[in-house]
Amino acid sequence: MAARWSSENVVVEFRDAQATAMSVDCLGQRAVLSGRRFLYIVNLDAPNEGHRKISRQSKWDIGAVQWNPHDSYAYYFAASSNQRVDLYKWKEGNGEVCTSLQGHTRVISDLDWAVFEPDLLVTSSVDTYIYIWDIKDTRKPTVSLSAVAGASQVKWNKKNANCLATSHDGDVRIWDKRKPSTAVEYLAAHLSKIHGLDWHPDNEYTLATSSQDNSVRFWDYRQPRKYLNILPCQVPVWKARYTPFSNGLVTVMVPQLRRENSLLLWNVFDLNTPVHTFVGHDDVVLEFQWRKQKEGSKDYQLVTWSRDQTLRMWRIDSQLQRLCANDILDGVEDLIDGISHLPEPDKTLHPQDSEPQHNSGHGDEEALKEDFLNDPLVGKKTDQLGLPQTLQQEFSLINVQIRNVNVEMDAVSRSCTVSVHCGNHRVRMLVMFPVQYPNNAAPSFQFINPTSITASMKAKLLKILKDTSLQKVKRNQSCLEPCLRQLVSWLESVVGTWCISRDP
């Protein structure tokens, strides 16, 4: 495992900035630091070689600032101040306000540019309204959402262009902008105020909430009554955001608390202890964002701004990224190879398994590998009914007679929840199927509560399930039942207890 803590790679001090907000542009070239008197534009490729300033005349601090995330609009950024949002245009070394958005009657709490539509910006306010603006016509909002209670956070979904989430004290509301009259879902997420929201970068139904109640909670908003997992912390959590790589999460504590100035990097598959700590700031971290990767580089850079008036840039190399991968322990693949699988019984060749046979050579090795990863006990329904053409059909053909295994399937949301109880071990997983599945697109597997196996067991199991599913989908074959069989047989090999019923 890599060093458990590190210091920054670049430190730049802006003693006079007194900035309360920071944003990094989508090209990874510039950062904006937002103070009451000036906006500082910093060249991230040469942060020590001076910076440009945009003067502003206001008695109000800037509450939130964000660059437009689309390359074609990369020179625009939005900054909120009291009840107004100013849209700035930065080009050729000069910046100016090109228009303002005015509609809220109380202070604006948050803003967020749309992920899929470069002209759309959403704002939230204490006045209980959430406004969606089209910057081509800024006279009034194009969509108005009324939440009764004031909103402190608003974030667009990263996979669904119509979906967004807002936080209201300890609650979360999920909205569809096409149905603005009422929220489509409601989560009683925390008993204390929510400070941060972040959508999962790959799963449109999953989000993380960070709160004053000393915890980060992970949610599937289709199951609003129970969180998927929880990260307990000793102090209130200011922000928790997913990393752009692997399965990482970065947390930072509430700014009012001066005793914790570090950023922590976690692997969401093992929340017992952080995999890395970024140490260097002398005061609380106010903002952190990711810089776009440079072409040809595998490294990422984390950019942070603190009340100590320093901008710091931290290099995240491939070794550190690997700590956030599924196979988090060294040697996992070697351990996998030693796991015994149930013997393959004689079985009728299925239509989807029909492929030219090779007498010898590499083809035989591939075929043996395929057999090794295939499910040991194949149900007979697919023989009779043929290859499933849809996820609905695959669900209907699943052998539900596997003892101690329970599968809750939802074809509409393209997901299922798998629960296995074997010996003293419990495993519960959320399986998500992409739209292209099974055409060379594998499902994703995520552990949810209550799961009692260790982190090393989780890593081994995820490796098995990933290999099994990939072997199937690369031939455009369905993989759920083979994965279920491998899940159970692997648990048996660990526990030494047979907990599936074998076909006669």
Side-chain angles (χ1 to χ4, degrees):
M1 182 173 286
R4 293 298 301 279
W5 63 275
S6 69
S7 58
E8 66 292 326
N9 302 102
V10 178
V11 186
V12 186
E13 187 174 18
F14 296 87
R15 183 54 58 191
D16 298 326
Q18 298 302 311
T20 52
M22 183 270 287
S23 179
V24 176
D25 75 351
C26 65
L27 302 178
Q29 297 174 354
R30 293 176 291 268
V32 57
L33 302 173
S34 303
R36 181 175 295 182
R37 295 175 54 240
F38 295 99
L39 296 166
Y40 293 77
I41 306 297
V42 182
N43 179 358
L44 294 178
D45 289 324
N48 290 296
E49 297 178 7
H51 52 270
R52 301 294 184 92
K53 292 193 291 188
I54 305 172
S55 63
R56 60 185 299 265
Q57 304 295 326
S58 176
K59 64 179 181 179
W60 307 105
D61 285 330
I62 288 180
V65 64
Q66 189 182 90
W67 290 93
N68 191 301
H70 300 269
D71 288 359
S72 57
Y73 284 67
Y75 44 86
Y76 285 105
F77 65 87
S80 68
S81 177
N82 197 22
Q83 303 170 13
R84 187 181 74 188
V85 173
D86 291 325
L87 294 181
Y88 287 83
K89 184 177 180 179
W90 177 263
K91 221 169 185 181
E92 299 176 352
N94 293 298
E96 60 182 4
V97 176
C98 53
T99 188
S100 296
L101 311 177
Q102 300 187 67
H104 287 291
T105 58
R106 300 280 300 280
V107 64
I108 293 171
S109 56
D110 198 14
L111 57 82
D112 197 33
W113 288 100
V115 178
F116 296 96
E117 300 172 77
D119 296 317
L120 295 188
L121 177 75
V122 65
T123 57
S124 61
S125 170
V126 181
D127 65 11
T128 75
Y129 287 97
I130 299 100
Y131 291 148
I132 298 175
W133 306 82
D134 187 329
I135 62 172
K136 295 192 300 293
D137 182 3
T138 59
R139 290 173 296 179
K140 64 178 182 179
T142 59
V143 178
S144 176
L145 313 173
S146 178
V148 180
S152 59
Q153 297 279 310
V154 60
K155 293 291 178 286
W156 287 100
N157 191 295
K158 297 171 185 175
K159 303 299 288 185
N160 184 335
N162 296 307
C163 181
L164 59 159
T166 56
S167 66
H168 311 262
D169 200 16
D171 302 328
V172 173
R173 286 175 170 86
I174 310 296
W175 304 86
D176 184 330
K177 70 180 176 68
R178 299 166 300 182
K179 305 171 184 176
S181 58
T182 184
V184 297
E185 196 54 79
Y186 174 94
L187 284 69
H190 296 268
L191 295 177
S192 301
K193 183 178 180 179
I194 293 171
H195 294 298
L197 287 176
D198 196 39
W199 286 99
H200 193 282
D202 300 315
N203 187 332
E204 71 171 280
Y205 304 107
T206 302
L207 69 159
T209 56
S210 48
S211 169
Q212 185 72 22
D213 68 5
N214 300 7
S215 74
V216 179
R217 297 185 181 185
F218 303 86
W219 303 88
D220 181 329
Y221 73 74
R222 298 165 303 172
Q223 303 170 11
R225 296 190 177 185
K226 179 63 178 175
Y227 51 79
L228 296 174
N229 209 346
I230 185 171
L231 169 59
C233 303
Q234 295 181 342
V235 292
V237 188
W238 175 238
K239 291 287 184 287
R241 293 177 186 154
Y242 292 101
T243 60
F245 53 83
S246 300
N247 301 288
L249 185 85
V250 174
T251 60
V252 67
M253 302 309 144
V254 171
Q256 286 82 357
L257 300 173
R258 294 176 178 268
R259 63 175 179 266
E260 179 55 84
N261 306 324
S262 302
L263 296 95
L264 303 178
L265 177 64
W266 305 81
N267 184 321
V268 296
F269 290 107
D270 182 7
L271 296 173
N272 292 319
T273 184
V275 298
H276 199 80
T277 302
F278 301 96
V279 177
H281 282 296
D282 297 326
D283 207 333
V284 291
V285 177
L286 296 174
E287 183 58 85
F288 64 93
Q289 292 189 9
W290 295 96
R291 189 180 180 191
K292 182 179 179 180
Q293 279 180 296
K294 292 187 176 181
E295 189 173 351
S297 173
K298 294 183 179 179
D299 293 346
Y300 285 87
Q301 261 191 335
L302 181 64
V303 183
T304 61
W305 174 251
S306 166
R307 196 176 284 159
D308 64 14
Q309 302 302 297
T310 62
L311 181 82
R312 298 174 187 245
M313 298 161 68
W314 318 73
R315 176 170 164 261
I316 315 295
D317 59 20
S318 56
Q319 186 178 14
L320 192 50
Q321 294 171 39
R322 183 173 172 77
L323 294 179
C324 298
N326 289 353
D327 48 341
I328 55 176
L329 299 181
D330 294 335
V332 163
E333 293 189 6
D334 296 334
L335 291 169
I336 299 294
D337 293 339
I339 295 173
S340 58
H341 289 251
L342 292 177
E344 182 81 16
D346 292 335
K347 61 184 181 185
T348 306
L349 183 67
H350 291 260
Q352 63 267 35
D353 291 328
S354 300
E355 292 201 355
Q357 299 297 308
H358 303 278
N359 292 329
S360 61
H362 182 68
D364 264 351
E365 293 177 8
E366 286 298 311
L368 286 171
K369 185 177 179 182
E370 172 75 7
D371 288 342
F372 176 77
L373 288 168
N374 277 351
D375 52 309
L377 300 172
V378 178
K380 298 180 173 57
K381 290 183 178 179
T382 49
D383 271 337
Q384 301 161 356
L385 299 178
L387 189 67
Q389 299 299 310
T390 66
L391 188 61
Q392 177 85 43
Q393 291 176 10
E394 181 179 1
F395 284 172
S396 69
L397 295 174
I398 289 292
N399 180 2
V400 295
Q401 302 303 317
I402 308 175
R403 188 156 49 93
N404 292 331
V405 176
N406 182 53
V407 186
E408 303 167 27
M409 296 169 279
D410 185 347
V412 175
S413 64
R414 302 190 65 80
S415 68
C416 70
T417 304
V418 179
S419 302
V420 183
H421 184 196
C422 191
N424 293 324
H425 293 293
R426 292 179 181 271
V427 172
R428 185 170 170 83
M429 301 193 82
L430 177 65
V431 186
M432 302 292 299
F433 299 86
V435 175
Q436 298 86 354
Y437 172 85
N439 298 316
N440 204 29
S444 63
F445 303 89
Q446 181 178 354
F447 290 104
I448 57 179
N449 285 335
T451 296
S452 63
I453 60 175
T454 64
S456 61
M457 294 171 72
K458 288 179 182 178
K460 298 171 193 174
L461 187 51
L462 284 169
K463 178 77 167 100
I464 291 174
L465 294 174
K466 182 178 179 181
D467 286 350
T468 303
S469 61
L470 287 175
Q471 287 291 333
K472 284 292 187 179
V473 300
K474 74 179 182 181
R475 293 183 172 183
N476 299 338
Q477 298 171 7
S478 55
C479 69
L480 179 55
E481 187 161 334
C483 287
L484 292 179
R485 299 286 184 174
Q486 290 294 353
L487 168 58
V488 176
S489 63
W490 181 81
L491 274 178
E492 290 174 354
S493 70
V494 172
V495 178
T497 305
W498 296 102
C499 55
I500 64 171
S501 58
R502 308 184 68 136
D503 296 337

